[in-house]
Amino acid sequence: MIKVAVLGYGTVGSGVVEVINTNNASIAKRVGEEVQIKYVLDLREFPGDPVEKVLVHDFETIVNDPEVDIVVETMGGVNPAYDFSKRALEAGKSVCTSNKELVARHGTELMKIAKEKSINYMFEASCGGGIPIIRPINTSLTADEIDEISGILNGTTNYILSKMSSDGSDFEDVLKEAQAKGYAEKNPEADVEGYDPCRKIAILSSLAYEQFVDYQDIYTEGITKITATDIKYAKEMGTAVKLVATSRKTDKGIYAMVSPVMIPASHPLYSVNDVFNAVFVHGNMLGDAMFYGSGAGKLPTASAVAGDVVDIAKNLHHTVMMGWSEEKLELLPIDEVESRFFVRIKGSVAEKLTAVEAAFGKVETISLPGVDGEFAFVTETLTEAAYKAAAEKVEGIISMIRARI
């Protein structure tokens, strides 16, 4: 019998307990022996909940029990999750987690310890919730050279942008609705400012390019400045505004960034709406592939964590090769990244076009019915540095969104 300890009995932790208990017979068939939850660690009490039978309040009980083979970390945050994960690995216990912040910060070190101990540190649920993406990158796509990963990696922001598009609502109004429905936290900063998808694309990029990508090096821009008028322009142009986390190989190097992007209807990410997430992968042999599903939620995320438990249980004393080297990948400076840019500007086409084209070169102009005193234009492909230099030469710019059109 393989015995498991779960750290944290919140949304994901309670989901993991439910998945393992509900699917116990099928999991046992896949593993070859029964997988049993021996402990659940939480500071709280849960009167009347069956978890009372296995509930403990002291991590020492778990780390010092030689019967525990696998530790599931679903506490969130870095402390004490990092200390508990590290100590569990050092004690010879494999660890799996849904904690993207922990993996982005300390994954390199924790995987190294696991390898030294011939055990495993796994984190399938850290990037796509219930979407299987890490295992495909690590196994199915190993014959390919991945040259791009782009994803809608945050359900909260995708819900907000989808709702703004369908209803014509303003950001603040939709955010309040998302909070009321439980799709957004009381403090939504990690989501709406793009910090959550930033950590996820750092992990995925590290796996794809096999070198450590530091999330702190990734240019990150959230959705708080996107307005209902921006969305109207996007619809007029046949595009959708999405918060996209991207890393891509170019002739000049690899770049990574998180920002709102206008996506054309021809792109696979265009139709990903509501709280759903998707990861688009391009390989030099595979071409395009997309992984789509629930990016968050109790049972979808718990299902991915339980999948790691099964994988670890099959490889208790053998490290499944995955991860990246300790060598840091130096990303291409953001100023050298190329894109097209959608720009709103005060004034009329007749008044401003000469000055705009003198600064930006040839542009496509867009006028929005019912919106007076401004127009928009889309540039040709420019570097970020070239866009900034041109924008300084033109007065009246209202806003800018990058565009894949």
Side-chain angles (χ1 to χ4, degrees):
M1 184 180 291
I2 295 169
K3 298 195 176 179
V4 177
V6 178
L7 310 184
Y9 196 62
T11 300
V12 178
S14 61
V16 172
V17 172
E18 183 177 342
V19 170
I20 291 177
N21 287 340
T22 301
N23 294 344
N24 193 260
S26 60
I27 289 172
K29 284 181 183 177
R30 293 184 176 98
V31 172
E33 58 183 302
E34 186 180 353
V35 175
Q36 182 189 77
I37 294 172
K38 184 171 185 181
Y39 300 114
V40 172
L41 176 74
D42 204 290
L43 294 176
R44 298 166 294 176
E45 301 288 348
F46 298 92
D49 191 308
V51 78
E52 281 187 301
K53 297 174 183 177
V54 294
L55 189 66
V56 294
H57 303 300
D58 187 354
F59 176 69
E60 301 303 321
T61 304
I62 294 168
V63 77
N64 292 321
D65 187 339
E67 287 193 343
V68 174
D69 300 300
I70 303 169
V71 172
V72 177
E73 186 277 301
T74 59
M75 304 173 73
V78 174
N79 295 308
Y82 165 65
D83 179 56
F84 287 178
S85 297
K86 184 176 180 179
R87 289 187 59 202
L89 290 166
E90 289 173 339
K93 305 176 191 302
S94 289
V95 176
C96 60
T97 183
S98 58
N99 190 336
K100 65 263 178 183
E101 186 177 5
L102 178 61
V103 177
R105 287 195 186 189
H106 299 291
T108 306
E109 177 191 3
L110 297 175
M111 281 185 285
K112 182 181 179 182
I113 296 170
K115 187 176 180 181
E116 290 170 351
K117 295 284 186 176
S118 295
I119 52 178
N120 287 284
Y121 182 69
M122 293 187 176
F123 41 88
E124 178 64 68
S126 66
C127 291
I131 303 171
I133 182 60
I134 290 176
R135 202 164 278 112
I137 289 175
N138 192 48
T139 57
S140 306
L141 304 179
T142 50
D144 263 70
E145 286 191 15
I146 295 173
D147 49 38
E148 180 185 351
I149 299 178
S150 292
I152 295 171
L153 296 173
N154 184 272
T156 299
T157 52
N158 203 44
Y159 173 83
I160 290 171
L161 291 172
S162 298
K163 193 73 172 173
M164 288 175 70
S165 180
S166 63
D167 294 359
S169 305
D170 288 317
F171 169 79
E172 291 294 341
D173 293 334
V174 180
L175 174 59
K176 288 176 184 175
E177 183 182 328
Q179 289 171 320
K181 290 185 173 182
Y183 294 155
E185 300 288 343
K186 186 175 182 181
N187 178 3
E189 184 181 28
D191 297 322
V192 300
E193 295 293 356
Y195 305 145
D196 174 78
C198 171
R199 291 176 172 88
K200 293 173 179 177
I201 197 66
I203 295 167
L204 293 174
S205 300
S206 298
L207 287 166
Y209 309 128
E210 299 180 339
Q211 287 180 261
F212 170 59
V213 175
D214 190 339
Y215 73 94
Q216 296 175 94
D217 294 342
I218 296 175
Y219 175 82
T220 302
E221 184 181 311
I223 66 167
T224 56
K225 295 178 182 177
I226 300 297
T227 67
T229 304
D230 293 327
I231 300 292
K232 288 177 183 176
Y233 273 109
K235 294 176 82 170
E236 179 75 13
M237 296 161 60
T239 67
V241 178
K242 303 290 186 184
L243 184 66
V244 179
T246 296
S247 67
R248 183 183 291 172
K249 282 184 180 178
T250 72
D251 293 339
K252 296 189 288 185
I254 295 173
Y255 75 85
M257 67 187 301
V258 178
S259 73
V261 178
M262 284 185 166
I263 298 288
S266 59
H267 195 284
L269 294 178
Y270 172 88
S271 57
V272 179
N273 291 312
D274 205 59
V275 293
F276 285 91
N277 285 190
V279 183
F280 168 84
V281 179
H282 186 274
N284 68 337
M285 298 296 152
L286 167 73
D288 296 340
M290 192 168 84
F291 301 81
Y292 169 85
S294 298
K298 176 178 177 176
L299 293 179
T301 304
S303 173
V305 176
D308 280 344
V309 171
V310 171
D311 209 0
I312 290 171
K314 289 178 177 179
N315 297 276
L316 267 188
H317 306 293
H318 166 71
T319 303
V320 176
M321 295 306 295
M322 66 176 291
W324 50 83
S325 74
E326 294 180 66
E327 181 183 358
K328 184 178 174 181
L329 179 63
E330 295 299 331
L331 296 173
L332 188 69
I334 189 67
D335 279 350
E336 296 182 39
V337 175
E338 295 182 340
S339 180
R340 297 184 75 187
F341 297 86
F342 163 85
V343 184
R344 287 171 53 202
I345 187 168
K346 294 177 182 176
S348 68
V349 174
E351 294 169 340
K352 289 287 184 73
L353 186 58
T354 301
V356 165
E357 292 199 327
F360 288 95
K362 186 172 177 59
V363 300
E364 299 174 22
T365 61
I366 306 104
S367 295
L368 194 62
V371 175
D372 298 322
E374 69 170 75
F375 69 100
F377 61 89
V378 179
T379 71
E380 295 295 312
T381 300
L382 302 171
T383 64
E384 294 273 338
Y387 168 77
K388 290 175 190 173
E392 289 176 359
K393 298 176 184 176
V394 181
E395 292 184 357
I397 289 178
I398 300 167
S399 63
M400 175 273 284
I401 302 174
R402 293 162 187 86
R404 285 193 180 186
I405 54 178

